[in-house]
């Protein structure tokens, strides 16, 4: 597995990271034993970057990772944790809290659930509109001094917020959605990160399975599946979006690759400062995703992909309107 430095000041991470959110119910039920086996398989394949959030399954995801890592050497792993999202017992979202006191409280619970004494990359999940980003970053910087955190990351924030944060403390990476059908970062956010030496850890590279080549119209992910409310999966949009996938499938067939592998390889081909996070919950999906590293895209391939899936070709927003309001990256 190839490794790259995360930003100018971050750790060395595998060229592909494992996003663990789907193992804790966001896309319907997941099998606990298979989830742990998938984490182990990823680590065995050379993946060292595991991404989670303290609010994934209200702590379930961190405990799952903690269990999976009991037999592994901590110093060989890079654990990234998002924090600040507030949820109620029913799983509903209640905004964000990035006050310094709150962050220090949240990390205490994360360390306990993960079974570790430090977190490699700690980041606010979204911009708290009531707390200046300077205060949030400053609080995490204090945790670095105390030894509980190694690096600071950001998530789903815009160019101006990135610049303000970087003025307080070096930022290793920005975690943000980036895929063939979610390319908004290319206008201002990506150039800003590159100017400041900040890497991108790209989630949603398969757009929650929509452009994986496996999703079918009418498919039901079960109770609690985010896709049931995601605009791009709704009846008004799904036909147009799946038509894009079929165009991509033609290119995949010519390359003797899967649709998912082409989509992941396209993200990776955008630069060594962009690390795709794959959300595999099963070992077979993990194996498929890791196979993307063997897919070499020529200039002709990239042009063909651009024709098949032009920028802004997707129908529907990437989040429901209520959630987009909380995303500084969209403003």
């Amino acid at each position: 597995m190839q490794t790259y430095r995360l930003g100018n000041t971050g750790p060395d991470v595998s060229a592909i990271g494992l996003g663990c959110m789907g193992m804790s119910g966001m896309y319907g039920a997941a099998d606990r034993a298979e989830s742990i086996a998938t984490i182990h398989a990823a680590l065995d394949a050379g993946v060292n970057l595991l991404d989670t959030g303290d609010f994934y399954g209200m702590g379930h995801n961190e405990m799952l990772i903690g269990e999976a890592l009991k037999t592994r050497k901590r110093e060989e792993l890079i654990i990234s944790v998002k924090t600040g999202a507030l949820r109620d017992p029913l799983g509903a979202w209640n905004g964000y809290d990035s006050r310094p006191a709150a962050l220090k409280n949240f990390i205490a619970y994360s360390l306990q659930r993960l079974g570790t004494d430090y977190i490699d990359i700690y980041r606010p999940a979204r911009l708290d509109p009531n707390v200046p980003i300077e205060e949030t970053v400053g609080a995490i910087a204090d945790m670095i001094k105390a030894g509980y955190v190694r690096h600071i990351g950001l998530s789903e924030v815009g160019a101006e917020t990135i610049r303000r944060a970087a003025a307080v403390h070096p930022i290793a990476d920005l975690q943000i959605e980036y895929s063939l059908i979610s390319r908004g970062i290319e206008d201002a956010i990506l150039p800003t990160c590159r100017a400041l030496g900040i890497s991108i850890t790209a989630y949603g590279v398969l757009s929650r399975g929509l452009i994986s080549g496996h999703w079918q119209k009418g498919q039901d992910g079960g109770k609690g599946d985010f896709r049931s409310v995601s605009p791009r999966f709704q009846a008004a949009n799904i036909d147009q979006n799946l038509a894009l996938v079929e165009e991509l499938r033609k290119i995949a067939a010519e390359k003797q690759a899967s649709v998912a592998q082409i989509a992941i390889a396209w993200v990776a081909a955008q630069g060594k400062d962009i690390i795709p996070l794959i959300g595999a919950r099963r070992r077979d999906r993990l194996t498929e995703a890791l196979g993307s590293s063997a897919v070499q895209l020529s200039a002709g391939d990239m042009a063909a992909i651009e024709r098949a899936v032009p920028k802004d070709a997707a129908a529907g927003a990437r989040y429901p309107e209520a959630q987009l309001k909380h995303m500084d990256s969209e403003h």
Side-chain angles (χ1 to χ4, degrees):
M1 174 70 69
Q2 188 79 28
T3 60
Y4 299 111
R5 174 63 61 87
L6 204 61
N8 287 345
T9 60
D12 291 334
V13 299
S14 48
I16 291 177
L18 181 64
C20 300
M21 181 180 73
M23 299 175 181
S24 296
M26 289 297 291
Y27 299 128
D31 181 87
R32 183 180 185 84
E34 181 62 23
S35 294
I36 292 175
T38 301
I39 294 173
H40 286 163
L43 298 175
D44 291 340
V47 174
N48 74 343
L49 175 61
L50 300 179
D51 182 74
T52 185
D54 59 20
F55 50 90
Y56 292 168
M58 282 68 80
H60 173 276
N61 205 240
E62 289 182 323
M63 290 187 288
L64 183 77
I65 291 172
E67 181 178 343
L69 299 185
K70 286 180 179 178
T71 59
R72 304 292 167 142
K73 295 181 179 180
R74 176 65 181 90
E75 63 272 15
E76 297 176 355
L77 309 169
I78 302 297
I79 300 176
S80 167
V81 177
K82 289 180 292 299
T83 190
L86 304 176
R87 304 184 72 177
D88 68 18
L90 296 177
W93 302 91
N94 290 322
Y96 299 88
D97 189 350
S98 291
R99 293 172 300 143
L103 295 182
K104 292 174 183 178
N105 175 78
F106 294 149
I107 198 171
Y109 287 83
S110 287
L111 293 170
Q112 181 70 24
R113 288 188 291 251
L114 288 164
T116 185
D117 55 5
Y118 69 94
I119 290 170
D120 296 279
I121 311 169
Y122 202 53
R123 71 185 79 242
R126 299 288 186 270
L127 179 67
D128 183 340
N130 300 311
V131 180
I133 191 64
E134 291 85 353
E135 290 186 19
T136 299
V137 171
I140 302 176
D142 288 343
M143 288 187 263
I144 289 177
K145 294 175 183 176
Y148 300 124
V149 176
R150 296 287 172 84
H151 306 279
I152 300 177
L154 299 172
S155 177
E156 287 289 355
V157 291
E160 179 57 29
T161 301
I162 295 167
R163 285 190 285 267
R164 289 171 53 192
V168 176
H169 190 279
I171 304 298
D173 69 315
L174 169 69
Q175 189 174 122
I176 195 164
E177 186 169 359
Y178 187 45
S179 73
L180 271 167
I181 62 171
S182 296
R183 296 171 58 180
I185 72 169
E186 293 175 352
D187 297 331
I189 292 174
L190 180 55
T192 298
C193 286
R194 285 178 164 161
L196 295 171
I198 298 171
S199 287
I200 299 290
T201 42
Y203 75 86
V205 293
L206 297 179
S207 197
R208 300 167 181 82
L210 180 59
I211 59 172
S212 68
H214 301 298
W215 188 264
Q216 298 177 359
K217 185 178 180 180
Q219 188 171 333
D220 182 6
K223 183 179 180 181
D225 192 331
F226 170 79
R227 291 169 291 201
S228 66
V229 297
S230 173
R232 289 179 175 172
F233 288 84
Q234 303 312 303
N237 301 320
I238 191 67
D239 287 335
Q240 179 175 330
N241 292 332
L242 288 181
L244 297 174
V245 176
E246 292 310 306
E247 291 301 309
L248 202 58
R249 197 183 302 276
K250 298 174 184 177
I251 297 171
E254 293 178 0
K255 297 289 293 183
Q256 296 184 317
S258 71
V259 175
Q261 288 170 341
I262 293 294
I264 297 169
W266 181 90
V267 173
Q270 303 308 309
K272 294 180 180 179
D273 57 347
I274 298 180
I275 305 296
L277 296 174
I278 55 173
R281 299 186 289 175
R282 300 178 351 215
R283 282 168 287 181
D284 59 336
R285 294 287 193 252
L286 172 70
T287 298
E288 178 187 27
L290 293 178
S292 65
S293 62
V295 177
Q296 300 296 318
L297 298 176
S298 67
D301 295 330
M302 296 294 281
I305 293 170
E306 185 71 27
R307 290 192 297 270
V309 187
K311 187 176 182 180
D312 300 325
R318 59 193 183 99
Y319 280 91
E321 181 61 32
Q323 294 189 40
L324 287 175
K325 291 179 181 179
H326 291 286
M327 299 175 75
D328 182 61
S329 54
E330 292 289 320
H331 300 155

